[in-house]
Amino acid sequence: MKNSKRAIYILSFLSMILLGGMLNSCQQDEFAYAKVGDLFQPKIMDISLSDTSTPTLVKGNSIALVWYKVNDAVSYTVELHLDNYYNSLFKTYTITDTQLLMDDIPYKTQFYIRVRSNSADPKFNSQWAYTNALTEERPAYAHILQPVEKFNITETEVTVNWTVDAANPVDSIAVAPAQSKEIPAIGRKLTQTEISLGQAKIEGLEKSTAYNVNVYDTKKPRVYDRPYNQESFRSAGPAPGQILVMKGDDLDALLKKNNADATIPEGTVYFLEAGSLFKITPFTISKGFKLTGGTEGAKPQIEMNGNWNIAEGALLNKLEFENIRFYQTIDASYFFNSGTSWKIDEVIIYNCDFNNFKRGFWRHQGSGKYKEVGNFEMTYCTLDEVGGHSGTYGTFVLGSAGADNFKKAVFKNCTFMRDYYGTTNNTYNFKNLFDYGDSAYPIYLEYTNITIYDYAYNRSLINLKNAAGSTLIFRNVLLASACGKLINAIAAGSTTTYSNNYTTTDYLLGPSSMQGTALGISAQNLFVNPKGGDLTIKDANSPIVTNKVGDTRWLPK
């Protein structure tokens, strides 16, 4: 027993010694709280003029802060943070006064603020005092920066446009990564030419990266009043998860294999190397996909020796084709031709060229075989040197005996031209723009900024004879071809809208059918070299240029 008590006593004594050493060590530690000499933390004075819970005074994008004097303080530090954990420092101030105006800081931003008294010896600095404040909305300002169109984006460059307005001048531009802090922002002064055009090209972007772009008037005295509205875009290039298809790869075999492979998801994106050429035999599609061409060089080319189709009963989400030249070397075929029943939510065709499709472009057949397209969009595309077959069907011919349901079809900034390829007989042409056949399903059909040259000779362009309640829009259309009637037939209860349309003397029926304006000159005199395929407008003062009519890619730069 005595030995046991003795052992406990020794252990207790050793513990006291160890504890005393630890306490002594902590007192010597430079991070220990010093009880003597520490300054009091500042007490923030309530100067708010509202019922908010914060004592700060906010006016526009400025915050005023006042606190009581702390004896022996040599200065005060004020920090503005963007998070309530005080890990996102926006700005810091060190002053000797007891009040601070934090002027010209971002609008409509929640700031978390802390104030500290500073001693001559930093180890005696006070603890922080905390408050927060929300700056006000920016006053109304001009939104002159235009959305960045995909057509103006490549893998390493972007062309930015804004509205030229003497009351809202622009002198600088900046393009900054929207997410990555490692990628540098690009900013510079604008040249006088860029300022007058309202357009600037920015180079040196990273591929497949989200960016924000701003234009500025740096002559304004307040920093956060200088930018105009911000726009966002993503540079081109392969995104993570996309399948890269390089020159020499067998795209045909890859597409067919993945179409039959249940483990390959719908919507798979295939990124085709710029300048590449692939030959494919189109197959019956069972799930949607996207083919997109690289922009660092010539458009990838795909030679098709047949047409796409969709599997019987298929339910597809989306088919998408971007930045590719498609062409055929066989006779009497189409880009798409189907006699099966199916549904697809969306078809997107962007910045593609189509050549040598001799019989038609998009055809439905199969009596009673129901086909449904939710949304069809074709933008910045060209159909050129097509047609030339004696049994032509046309551009869009939906002939499933009334079983076609095209809910919406929009064509913007497209050119339809030279449609009797390989012949001198202009009756071997594409006989329409859109023939809805016997379908009674209403359609929203829009043509905006369209150029039509030497196309659909003596043929009507639109046929909506049974689709009651449809909508047809024709605006900014330049018709420079000896077409027939604009509308063959349109069903009761349908609405039509025409605006800013123009015709050359080639359109023999005159502009009245689409409420247009006669230019009084021929296509030969309007375009630089129409027979050679160059439809650039000769005269920069033409109403086609000033009113931005037709496919805007043909407007002189």
Side-chain angles (χ1 to χ4, degrees):
M1 178 67 75
K2 287 183 178 180
N3 289 339
S4 175
K5 289 183 177 179
R6 182 182 179 90
I8 292 171
Y9 176 81
I10 292 172
L11 286 172
S12 299
F13 182 75
L14 288 172
S15 298
M16 290 177 65
I17 292 174
L18 288 171
L19 179 61
M22 290 171 66
L23 289 171
N24 185 58
S25 174
C26 287
Q27 288 175 349
Q28 294 175 356
D29 192 290
E30 60 179 315
F31 297 108
Y33 177 74
K35 295 183 179 179
V36 180
D38 279 1
L39 296 181
F40 286 105
Q41 69 184 43
K43 179 177 174 54
I44 298 172
M45 190 181 301
D46 189 349
I47 59 170
S48 65
L49 300 178
S50 65
D51 294 332
T52 62
S53 59
T54 61
T56 55
L57 177 63
V58 176
K59 184 70 174 177
N61 64 331
S62 299
I63 302 173
L65 189 68
V66 180
W67 57 92
Y68 293 98
K69 176 179 171 61
V70 176
N71 291 335
D72 300 326
V74 296
S75 65
Y76 304 91
T77 295
V78 181
E79 291 184 351
L80 264 71
H81 288 261
L82 299 174
D83 72 307
N84 59 355
Y85 297 103
Y86 296 89
N87 292 323
S88 302
L89 181 64
F90 173 76
K91 198 168 186 179
T92 184
Y93 307 82
T94 299
I95 61 173
T96 57
D97 205 350
T98 58
Q99 59 186 15
L100 175 64
L101 176 63
M102 292 165 278
D103 191 29
D104 197 12
I105 56 180
Y107 287 100
K108 196 61 177 178
T109 302
Q110 179 71 55
F111 287 102
Y112 298 88
I113 306 167
R114 61 183 185 179
V115 189
R116 183 186 68 200
S117 305
N118 297 325
S119 171
D121 186 344
K123 72 180 181 179
F124 296 124
N125 290 346
S126 77
Q127 295 182 347
W128 293 100
Y130 299 90
T131 188
N132 59 79
L134 173 66
T135 50
E136 296 176 348
E137 292 271 9
R138 182 178 175 181
Y141 63 98
H143 287 56
I144 63 171
L145 186 59
Q146 299 171 10
V148 183
E149 292 194 61
K150 189 187 293 185
F151 181 74
N152 289 325
I153 303 168
T154 72
E155 293 168 353
T156 57
E157 298 177 354
V158 62
T159 299
V160 179
N161 293 274
W162 61 92
T163 302
V164 177
D165 180 0
N168 295 284
V170 171
D171 59 20
S172 300
I173 189 170
V175 176
Q179 298 166 330
S180 174
K181 294 182 178 179
E182 287 72 33
I183 299 174
I186 304 170
R188 63 174 174 83
K189 286 283 189 180
L190 295 167
T191 67
Q192 195 56 51
T193 300
E194 290 171 329
I195 291 171
S196 61
L197 286 175
Q199 184 180 89
K201 179 181 286 187
I202 300 298
E203 301 174 335
L205 305 181
E206 296 292 326
K207 298 178 182 179
S208 190
T209 301
Y211 285 95
N212 295 324
V213 58
N214 282 100
V215 290
Y216 302 83
D217 175 12
T218 61
K219 294 183 176 62
K220 290 180 180 176
R222 295 180 67 79
V223 170
Y224 290 96
D225 288 334
R226 294 173 182 174
Y228 295 92
N229 56 298
Q230 178 176 280
E231 295 291 340
S232 301
F233 70 93
R234 178 176 290 276
S235 55
Q242 292 184 358
I243 297 176
L244 301 182
V245 187
M246 310 303 286
K247 295 175 184 175
D249 290 348
D250 191 340
L251 176 63
D252 184 66
L254 178 62
L255 290 175
K256 289 174 179 174
K257 172 180 174 294
N258 289 350
N259 185 63
D261 188 343
T263 65
I264 302 299
E266 169 131 9
T268 295
V269 179
Y270 302 84
F271 186 88
L272 313 184
E273 183 183 12
S276 54
L277 170 62
F278 305 100
K279 296 185 179 183
I280 65 172
T281 300
F283 50 87
T284 299
I285 299 166
S286 60
K287 55 189 170 186
F289 60 87
K290 177 179 180 179
L291 299 179
T292 182
T295 61
E296 290 190 310
K299 288 178 182 176
Q301 299 185 77
I302 295 180
E303 178 185 321
M304 300 170 57
N305 64 356
N307 50 257
W308 300 108
N309 188 12
I310 294 178
E312 179 74 39
L315 302 173
L316 275 61
N317 179 33
K318 182 187 289 189
L319 279 176
E320 195 164 0
F321 306 97
E322 178 178 315
N323 198 49
I324 298 170
R325 178 191 175 226
F326 292 94
Y327 69 96
Q328 286 188 338
T329 55
I330 62 174
D331 192 31
S333 195
Y334 311 79
F335 178 74
F336 181 88
N337 183 17
S338 178
T340 54
S341 296
W342 42 262
K343 293 182 181 180
I344 183 168
D345 291 335
E346 195 165 29
V347 178
I348 305 293
I349 306 178
Y350 174 82
N351 196 32
C352 290
D353 299 322
F354 299 94
N355 308 122
N356 309 352
F357 292 89
K358 302 207 66 173
R359 200 168 190 188
F361 180 74
W362 191 283
R363 183 191 180 199
H364 292 180
Q365 58 175 314
S367 180
K369 289 288 189 177
Y370 180 77
K371 303 170 185 62
E372 181 179 303
V373 178
N375 181 55
F376 187 101
E377 292 181 13
M378 177 180 277
T379 53
Y380 289 106
C381 290
T382 301
L383 270 70
D384 182 25
E385 293 192 320
V386 292
H389 194 275
S390 59
T392 54
Y393 280 87
T395 316
F396 281 77
V397 176
L398 310 185
S400 305
D404 300 297
N405 187 358
F406 235 87
K407 296 186 177 183
K408 184 177 183 180
V410 176
F411 301 85
K412 290 185 177 179
N413 277 295
C414 290
T415 296
F416 301 94
M417 61 189 289
R418 301 194 298 179
D419 68 347
Y420 46 101
Y421 176 66
T423 78
T424 58
N425 186 346
N426 58 7
T427 65
Y428 283 9
N429 55 33
F430 273 15
K431 67 177 182 179
N432 55 56
L433 284 180
F434 203 98
D435 184 351
Y436 205 22
D438 295 323
S439 177
Y441 294 99
I443 181 174
Y444 176 95
L445 181 59
E446 177 183 340
Y447 289 88
T448 296
N449 284 103
I450 304 298
T451 296
I452 303 170
Y453 165 71
D454 205 11
Y455 197 90
Y457 172 77
N458 202 29
R459 309 279 192 171
S460 61
L461 297 178
I462 305 295
N463 181 34
L464 306 175
K465 63 180 181 178
N466 291 335
S470 293
T471 299
L472 174 64
I473 294 176
F474 247 66
R475 60 185 168 213
N476 303 339
V477 175
L478 172 57
L479 187 48
S481 183
C483 303
K485 293 187 297 183
L486 176 64
I487 299 175
N488 178 61
I490 188 165
S494 298
T495 60
T496 56
T497 300
Y498 306 99
S499 62
N500 203 35
N501 301 313
Y502 285 80
T503 64
T504 63
T505 55
D506 305 85
Y507 185 49
L508 303 179
L509 299 182
S512 61
S513 64
M514 58 180 188
Q515 300 175 22
T517 301
L519 289 168
I521 60 173
S522 67
Q524 189 64 39
N525 291 327
L526 179 64
F527 302 126
V528 168
N529 181 17
K531 291 184 178 180
D534 186 353
L535 304 189
T536 303
I537 307 301
K538 286 181 181 179
D539 182 5
N541 296 315
S542 167
I544 301 302
V545 178
T546 56
N547 294 325
K548 294 185 177 179
V549 179
D551 187 340
T552 57
R553 294 175 295 173
W554 298 114
L555 300 182
K557 304 302 182 186

